[in-house]
């Protein structure tokens, strides 16, 4: 019996038990628009690829990692010095986390400027923004796990900022820390968030996000709205092969960074030592940290830090509900107001991040 006969037999066996015809029809008939902005489509696939790398390398690290204050640092040191290729796995995990934040950031803002959130894709945008927040949360909780000096005090600063949120700040800080200070309980909670709670949430929202994209297809820019002839390519196999090529390029960049700029471990933390000068959060939170530093201590009668945190909250909520407040998008028109706000937000984040790195 040849391979084709075996394949057809297996397909008939599976189809006789499961109704997969609608899925086959969806995949074979799906078309992807082709235009000068098509390159931005690939960042969603690259983000998915990096998330898969995170899961695989994270599972490998769990074989040796011990999430307690007495053992966390030494277990990471053991991984990096004693486990064969352990240093490489940890470096890939660390760099893929950073690249994933970068690609999801690019994917979200490219979607914003292409107005791919306009009806009927509101829920696709909302689920994507939620995934962005979950990605930041996963990065924040994973940063503490090596239990080194930088991660400990950066987490202390980060949770203190969370504690400044009006009304619920104290409760939120206690939930994150497991008490009043960053201790062994904090490490245990961050470990649970990082390896169980947040990945489960990401899997759930990611499934919905991909389902929305598959059912509604990819949005075309407004510049193509009036064109009679719109170019497109089949999703299978044309776009998928291009997506795989983008994944291969991302893998090459990831491997190069992991090999030539491997993740460092730093010094084991002394929780009773004073906070070292120059402690900063990871680069994707640095813009908020830097903005809070330059805000005056008092703005009229209000605390400056509280005003800043409320401002970040307004920015996040505005992103989440954007499709419902941009009334121009419902008429297939571009709003200069929202375009200006998007450009301002993008340059503000980039500017504050660079300032924070140089400060």
């Amino acid at each position: 019996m040849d391979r084709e006969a075996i394949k057809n037999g297996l397909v008939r066996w599976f189809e006789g038990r499961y109704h997969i015809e609608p899925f086959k029809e969806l995949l074979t008939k799906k078309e992807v628009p082709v235009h000068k902005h098509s390159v931005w489509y690939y960042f969603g696939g690259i983000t998915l690829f990096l998330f898969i790398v995170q899961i695989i390398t994270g599972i490998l690290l769990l074989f040796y990692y011990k999430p307690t204050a007495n053992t966390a640092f030494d277990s990471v040191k053991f991984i990096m010095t004693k486990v064969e290729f352990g240093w490489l796995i940890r470096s890939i995990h660390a760099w893929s986390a950073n690249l994933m934040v970068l690609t999801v950031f690019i994917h979200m803002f490219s979607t914003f400027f292409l107005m791919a959130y306009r009806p009927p894709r509101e829920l696709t945008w909302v689920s994507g923004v939620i995934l962005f927040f979950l990605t930041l949360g996963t990065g924040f909780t994973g940063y503490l796990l090596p239990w080194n000096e930088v991660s400990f005090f950066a987490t202390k600063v980060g949770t203190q900022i969370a504690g400044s949120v009006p009304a619920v700040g104290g409760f939120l800080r206690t939930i994150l820390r497991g008490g009043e200070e960053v201790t062994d309980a904090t490490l245990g909670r961050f470990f649970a968030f990082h390896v169980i709670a947040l990945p489960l949430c990401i899997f759930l929202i990611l499934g919905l996000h991909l389902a929305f994209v598959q059912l509604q297809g990819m949005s075309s820019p407004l510049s193509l709205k009036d064109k009679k002839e719109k170019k497109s390519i089949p999703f299978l196999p044309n776009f998928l092969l291009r997506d795989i090529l983008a994944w291969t390029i991302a893998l090459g960049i990831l491997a190069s960074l992991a090999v030539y700029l491997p993740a460092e471990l730093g010094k084991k933390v002394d929780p009773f030592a004073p906070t070292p000068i120059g402690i900063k959060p990871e680069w994707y939170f640095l813009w908020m940290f830097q903005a809070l530093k330059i805000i005056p201590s008092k703005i009229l009668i209000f605390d400056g830090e509280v005003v800043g945190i409320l401002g970040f909250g307004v920015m996040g909520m505005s992103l989440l509900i954007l499709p419902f407040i941009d009334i121009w998008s419902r008429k297939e028109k571009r709003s200069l107001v929202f375009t200006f706000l998007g450009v301002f937000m993008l340059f503000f984040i980039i500017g504050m991040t660079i300032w924070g790195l140089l400060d």
Side-chain angles (χ1 to χ4, degrees):
M1 185 180 294
D2 60 12
R3 291 183 179 180
E4 195 65 29
I6 295 174
K7 177 183 175 182
N8 292 334
L10 289 173
V11 170
R12 285 195 300 270
W13 182 89
F14 197 82
E15 288 180 340
R17 289 155 178 78
Y18 304 99
H19 187 55
I20 62 172
E21 195 61 36
F23 298 100
K24 286 175 60 179
E25 185 177 354
L26 177 65
L27 290 175
T28 54
K29 291 187 176 182
K30 182 181 176 182
E31 298 280 326
V32 178
V34 176
H35 45 80
K36 64 180 180 180
H37 301 296
S38 295
V39 66
W40 302 112
Y41 289 153
Y42 299 103
F43 281 93
I46 293 173
T47 303
L48 175 61
F49 167 73
L50 292 171
F51 177 65
I52 294 171
V53 172
Q54 282 278 283
I55 296 298
I56 295 172
T57 55
I59 291 173
L60 293 175
L61 292 173
L62 282 176
F63 290 157
Y64 298 96
Y65 180 73
K66 299 175 182 178
T68 67
N70 294 326
T71 59
F73 181 88
D74 292 330
S75 66
V76 177
K77 185 176 180 180
F78 178 79
I79 291 171
M80 296 181 66
T81 58
K82 302 296 183 181
V83 178
E84 192 169 6
F85 295 110
W87 66 272
L88 181 61
I89 297 300
R90 182 177 178 247
S91 292
I92 291 176
H93 189 75
W95 274 112
S96 61
N98 282 277
L99 291 177
M100 182 179 169
V101 173
L102 178 63
T103 55
V104 75
F105 183 87
I106 294 173
H107 183 52
M108 184 180 70
F109 270 93
S110 63
T111 303
F112 174 90
F113 287 116
L114 291 174
M115 291 186 63
Y117 57 82
R118 62 189 189 275
R121 294 177 174 83
E122 298 96 332
L123 292 183
T124 307
W125 169 264
V126 170
S127 59
V129 173
I130 293 174
L131 285 172
F132 175 67
F133 294 154
L134 290 173
T135 301
L136 293 179
T138 306
F140 179 65
T141 53
Y143 194 52
L144 178 65
L145 300 190
W147 202 245
N148 58 31
E149 189 177 67
V150 175
S151 66
F152 176 87
F153 287 105
T155 301
K156 193 172 183 178
V157 172
T159 51
Q160 185 62 40
I161 291 174
S164 301
V165 176
V168 297
F171 173 76
L172 184 60
R173 183 178 61 232
T174 302
I175 289 294
L176 289 173
R177 291 183 174 182
E180 291 299 319
E181 298 294 334
V182 177
T183 61
D184 190 46
T186 313
L187 180 62
R189 293 197 176 200
F190 273 47
F191 178 75
F193 283 131
H194 187 71
V195 304
I196 301 175
L198 291 174
L200 284 176
C201 292
I202 289 177
F203 272 117
L204 176 62
I205 304 300
L206 180 61
L208 290 173
H209 187 72
L210 293 176
F212 294 148
V213 173
Q214 292 299 323
L215 290 172
Q216 295 179 319
M218 296 182 181
S219 175
S220 297
L222 284 176
S223 57
L224 300 180
K225 184 180 67 171
D226 298 327
K227 288 189 177 182
K228 296 180 180 179
E229 295 184 6
K230 297 180 181 180
K231 296 181 180 179
S232 63
I233 58 174
F235 179 80
L236 287 175
N238 302 57
F239 183 80
L240 181 60
L241 290 174
R242 296 184 183 189
D243 226 0
I244 293 174
L245 176 61
W247 292 11
T248 306
I249 295 172
L251 179 61
I253 295 172
L254 174 60
S256 299
L257 290 170
V259 171
Y260 293 107
L261 295 171
E264 298 180 354
L265 182 55
K267 298 179 181 179
K268 188 174 183 178
V269 66
D270 177 7
F272 300 103
T275 303
I277 298 174
I279 289 293
K280 299 176 182 178
E282 276 282 45
W283 64 269
Y284 40 85
F285 289 115
L286 190 54
W287 67 276
M288 290 187 284
F289 179 74
Q290 187 65 24
L292 289 175
K293 283 176 62 177
I294 65 173
I295 292 177
S297 59
K298 283 290 182 180
I299 299 177
L300 299 178
I301 61 172
F302 304 103
D303 186 274
E305 186 177 27
V306 172
V307 173
I309 292 171
L310 288 175
F312 299 147
V314 170
M315 289 173 65
M317 183 57 65
S318 298
L319 276 176
L320 189 65
I321 64 174
L322 176 63
F324 308 103
I325 59 178
D326 185 358
I327 57 176
W328 292 273
S329 68
R330 303 170 200 171
K331 302 175 182 179
E332 295 282 306
K333 294 182 179 180
R334 180 174 293 278
S335 166
L336 292 178
V337 174
F338 284 96
T339 302
F340 171 79
L341 289 175
V343 171
F344 173 79
M345 185 183 298
L346 181 62
F347 277 92
F348 177 78
I349 291 172
I350 294 174
M352 285 292 130
T353 301
I354 294 174
W355 189 359
L357 290 171
L358 298 177
D359 190 2

